[in-house]
Amino acid sequence: MRRGYEIIYKAKDVEAAVAQVSIGQVENLEDLVSGLKSVREALDAACREQIAVAVQKCAEVCAEVLNSTVMLQNAVQHEQNAEQNVNRTRQVFEETQASFSSAQFSLSSCLAQSYDDDERCLDCSGEYSDVAEAEAMVEHVQSLLEQARAGLDVSIAKRICMEQRVDLAKQAQGLANRALEQVQQECNAHVATIEQAIALGVTRLNSAQRALDAYLSINPSSAQFYAWLKWDPAKGGRPVTPDIVRDRLNLSSEQRRFLQAYLYDRNPAYRRQVDKYRNQWATAKGDTERNIVARKARIHLSGEFGEQMVRHALAPLGGQIETQGRTFVGDNGRYTKTDLLVTNLRVQVILGRGDGMGAPVGGSMAFEVKCGKAEYLYSQKDHMTFQAEGHKEANAQCTLCSRDIHDLPEEKQKRLRDALREAGSPMVGMLPRKNEIDQSCLDFIRQSESAWS
């Protein structure tokens, strides 16, 4: 007896824990962790790129410092050479000035002695020539000295420029090194933040998964729905036949309720629709306004629920799912939308006999989904025939409809089926009846949000 109480209390604890956890919420956490890991990978790549740019800039600036230092050394050496040249030229200039003074003195001495001992007039032409040559030499060397001094000024200016260049290069080197350090620090900080978020997400995910696993272990219906979501068609190693597809689409009312809650958790657009109708239902005044809300839900929400049922039932068949893809028909710009395109099939699919009713591994399938009463389905014949044009690129195509088609008179039913078969997208009535889908949506709208969170 005591053991029985322990089992009961344990089950209640599990149910209390799972009240905050659902299949959809666990998958949301999985997506969150996966998204964070993708962010980390993108951040790693961006950081590597930024660090590589910073390192390259440091290398360039370092090379510039070395190059500028060599240029400064050359400028200093050039200045020293120019200064030596000025000194040498100045010395030569002083020597030529001395020679010029000596020549002038000799000329003056010659002119002071007008006559020689024989009282003949002295010839000073040699002294005049020496003075002229010395003067010319002085002017020439003076010009060289001015050039040397100008060269020295240029060398000094160039050396000063090179000193400034070295200073700027070293400043740039400091900035580049600080930029590299900053990039590394920021990247490390961002990566650490993402890592912490991932670790927290993984912890929460593991905790949520354990709570969900515990709940599924004591709730066969939920476990059955979870198995439906996680179906692996390739596991059996056999082709998928119409019976398998029919079973996938033949959800019980309870399983449809689970799917409603799953979509509410996982599909933001579906959640917004449900919340909108829930709010309208809660604020409706009287049965008349509630009937208006119910009618809008039957028109809009039921169709979306039917499409989502098909999507999640058949999504495991392929590696990629596309919804509402456009296909242009003709040359006038008209197009049709395909409700569901399953590509890269993981297993062979056989929907029936004839062309377009089978698809190989790696192939594709296109589906149109129609939920409605019998007369509504018949009224959509031309529209569905046009939509079938968008299916022809797929290996297999069909139009999945609610079982209400069986309520059509035999003649109308045949006419509708024949039209779609000729269009290349045979009609198959595998979905629950429209009333069943409507009831599932209305029941979910009337439930409080807390009952499904």
Side-chain angles (χ1 to χ4, degrees):
M1 179 67 71
R2 183 175 180 180
R3 176 60 176 168
Y5 282 127
E6 290 177 354
I7 294 174
I8 292 173
Y9 284 128
K10 182 178 180 181
K12 289 183 177 179
D13 290 341
V14 169
E15 289 180 350
V18 85
Q20 301 301 321
V21 177
S22 67
I23 295 172
Q25 290 170 346
V26 170
E27 291 187 3
N28 287 340
L29 282 173
E30 290 175 344
D31 288 349
L32 174 62
V33 172
S34 177
L36 287 172
K37 290 181 178 179
S38 297
V39 170
R40 181 186 61 189
E41 292 175 0
L43 181 61
D44 285 341
C47 283
R48 285 194 299 271
E49 181 178 352
Q50 290 183 11
I51 290 173
V53 170
V55 169
Q56 176 63 27
K57 185 58 63 178
C58 284
E60 292 175 359
V61 174
C62 182
E64 175 60 27
V65 170
L66 294 176
N67 182 53
S68 298
T69 300
V70 171
M71 294 177 70
L72 174 59
Q73 292 172 349
N74 292 337
V76 170
Q77 183 63 48
H78 192 275
E79 180 184 357
Q80 292 174 350
N81 294 339
E83 188 173 5
Q84 292 174 0
N85 185 39
V86 168
N87 293 334
R88 287 194 299 270
T89 306
R90 183 186 296 111
Q91 183 177 0
V92 172
F93 178 68
E94 292 172 353
E95 292 174 353
T96 56
Q97 281 184 320
S99 298
F100 177 57
S101 298
S102 177
Q104 284 181 321
F105 180 78
S106 297
L107 176 60
S108 297
S109 298
C110 180
L111 292 176
Q113 298 177 7
S114 301
Y115 300 95
D116 58 12
D117 295 338
D118 297 331
E119 296 185 350
R120 289 180 298 179
C121 186
L122 293 175
D123 183 7
C124 295
S125 60
E127 283 74 1
Y128 276 112
S129 177
D130 291 341
V131 169
E133 289 179 1
E135 184 177 14
M137 180 60 68
V138 167
E139 292 177 353
H140 174 68
V141 174
Q142 185 177 14
S143 174
L144 293 179
L145 180 58
E146 290 175 352
Q147 292 178 13
R149 285 172 175 169
L152 177 59
D153 291 339
V154 171
S155 297
I156 292 173
K158 185 174 182 180
R159 185 257 303 164
I160 293 173
C161 288
M162 290 302 101
E163 288 176 341
Q164 294 173 345
R165 177 168 177 163
V166 169
D167 289 340
L168 291 175
K170 289 181 178 180
Q171 291 177 24
Q173 185 179 37
L175 292 174
N177 289 333
R178 286 194 293 274
L180 175 58
E181 292 175 1
Q182 184 176 0
V183 168
Q184 291 173 331
Q185 290 173 357
E186 290 180 354
C187 283
N188 291 336
H190 291 322
V191 170
T193 300
I194 293 295
E195 290 289 355
Q196 290 175 0
I198 291 174
L200 179 60
V202 170
T203 299
R204 291 183 176 178
L205 173 60
N206 292 337
S207 177
Q209 186 65 59
R210 286 193 299 270
L212 179 62
D213 291 342
Y215 175 72
L216 295 177
S217 68
I218 63 170
N219 194 317
S221 297
S222 296
Q224 184 180 0
F225 175 70
Y226 186 73
W228 181 84
L229 279 176
K230 304 302 180 181
W231 176 53
D232 183 3
K235 192 173 183 179
R238 292 181 296 178
V240 172
T241 60
D243 289 341
I244 296 176
V245 176
R246 185 178 296 110
D247 290 341
R248 294 284 299 164
L249 297 173
N250 188 26
L251 294 178
S252 66
S253 60
E254 186 178 30
Q255 296 296 303
R256 289 195 295 271
R257 177 167 61 86
F258 289 138
L259 180 58
Q260 290 277 9
Y262 177 79
L263 293 175
Y264 188 80
D265 284 337
R266 292 287 288 158
N267 190 320
Y270 194 81
R271 186 187 188 101
R272 285 193 295 269
Q273 279 200 70
V274 171
D275 287 342
K276 179 181 69 174
Y277 292 128
R278 280 180 173 174
N279 181 62
Q280 292 177 1
W281 183 270
T283 58
K285 298 177 181 178
D287 292 340
T288 300
E289 291 188 5
R290 290 192 185 93
N291 287 336
I292 293 175
V293 176
R295 182 174 181 275
K296 289 191 292 185
R298 285 195 296 268
I299 293 174
H300 301 291
L301 189 61
S302 293
E304 177 66 17
F305 181 69
E307 290 184 13
Q308 291 294 332
M309 185 186 304
V310 173
R311 180 184 184 280
H312 288 282
L314 302 182
L317 292 173
Q320 185 175 354
I321 306 296
E322 180 182 349
T323 58
Q324 301 299 322
R326 290 187 179 187
T327 300
F328 287 89
V329 180
D331 299 327
N332 58 0
R334 295 183 69 193
Y335 65 87
T336 179
K337 292 183 178 181
T338 302
D339 286 337
L340 183 66
L341 178 65
V342 185
T343 57
N344 193 22
L345 292 175
R346 301 165 58 201
V347 63
Q348 182 184 9
V349 178
I350 301 173
L351 299 176
R353 297 178 180 179
D355 294 336
M357 296 300 289
V361 174
S364 60
M365 298 189 307
F367 298 95
E368 186 66 28
V369 181
K370 285 295 178 185
C371 298
K373 299 292 183 65
E375 288 302 325
Y376 168 79
L377 294 175
Y378 188 76
S379 70
Q380 295 291 300
K381 178 171 67 71
D382 292 341
H383 180 62
M384 288 188 289
T385 301
F386 174 71
Q387 287 179 310
E389 294 292 328
H391 301 176
K392 293 184 177 180
E393 297 298 324
N395 298 108
Q397 321 91 33
C398 76
T399 300
L400 294 171
C401 67
S402 54
R403 291 190 178 90
D404 300 86
I405 189 174
H406 300 299
D407 296 337
L408 278 174
E410 186 175 342
E411 181 180 348
K412 282 189 173 182
Q413 187 176 158
K414 182 177 184 302
R415 195 177 301 140
L416 178 58
R417 290 183 182 276
D418 287 348
L420 286 169
R421 185 178 296 107
E422 291 176 5
S425 186
M427 194 165 215
V428 182
M430 291 185 176
L431 289 170
R433 288 181 174 272
K434 181 64 163 62
N435 283 341
E436 295 174 334
I437 295 176
D438 289 345
Q439 192 62 47
S440 175
C441 291
L442 292 175
D443 287 344
F444 193 63
I445 289 172
R446 288 192 289 259
Q447 298 294 326
S448 64
E449 183 176 348
S450 60
W452 301 101
S453 57

